[in-house]
Amino acid sequence: MTPKTNVAEYLETAIRLSGKTQREIAKAAGYTKPNVISMMKKGQTKIPIEKIPALAAAASIEAAPFLRLALQEYMPETWHVIYANLENFKENA
């Protein structure tokens, strides 16, 4: 059995609180089969970073905290570099 991750628990909670079915979330996020959402919620597969905005919109939550959590968990070194340079991104935008 794969232990749940923080990201998996976050998605599971967001879906439960949204009041939508897993099928509705999957369809709104661009998935044809809702079983992929089950796999994500159970921590059996990572949530693709590029799908986080669509999943967040489908579950009616903000994408930024979800994205931050996923980056911290899946790519901690990358997140550290991004976080350390956020001010530079803002200044050069």
Side-chain angles (χ1 to χ4, degrees):
M1 181 173 172
T2 305
K4 278 193 182 176
T5 65
N6 291 332
V7 176
E9 289 178 359
Y10 192 89
L11 177 63
E12 182 178 38
T13 300
I15 291 171
R16 184 173 31 82
L17 294 176
S18 76
K20 297 179 184 176
T21 67
Q22 189 169 291
R23 184 175 302 279
E24 291 171 321
I25 297 290
K27 184 176 179 181
Y31 290 103
T32 56
K33 299 185 183 202
N35 65 324
V36 72
I37 303 296
S38 292
M39 293 170 63
M40 290 176 193
K41 288 177 10 182
K42 292 176 183 175
Q44 295 172 333
T45 189
K46 288 183 178 181
I47 299 167
I49 297 292
E50 66 275 7
K51 282 293 199 174
I52 288 177
L55 286 165
S60 302
I61 62 170
E62 291 186 37
F66 191 11
L67 179 60
R68 179 176 52 246
L69 183 63
L71 286 171
Q72 288 172 332
E73 189 169 301
Y74 298 159
M75 305 178 196
E77 298 86 8
T78 300
W79 170 249
H80 178 72
V81 171
I82 292 169
Y83 185 76
N85 289 282
L86 281 175
E87 289 302 316
N88 292 334
F89 289 130
K90 290 177 188 176
E91 291 172 7
N92 295 320

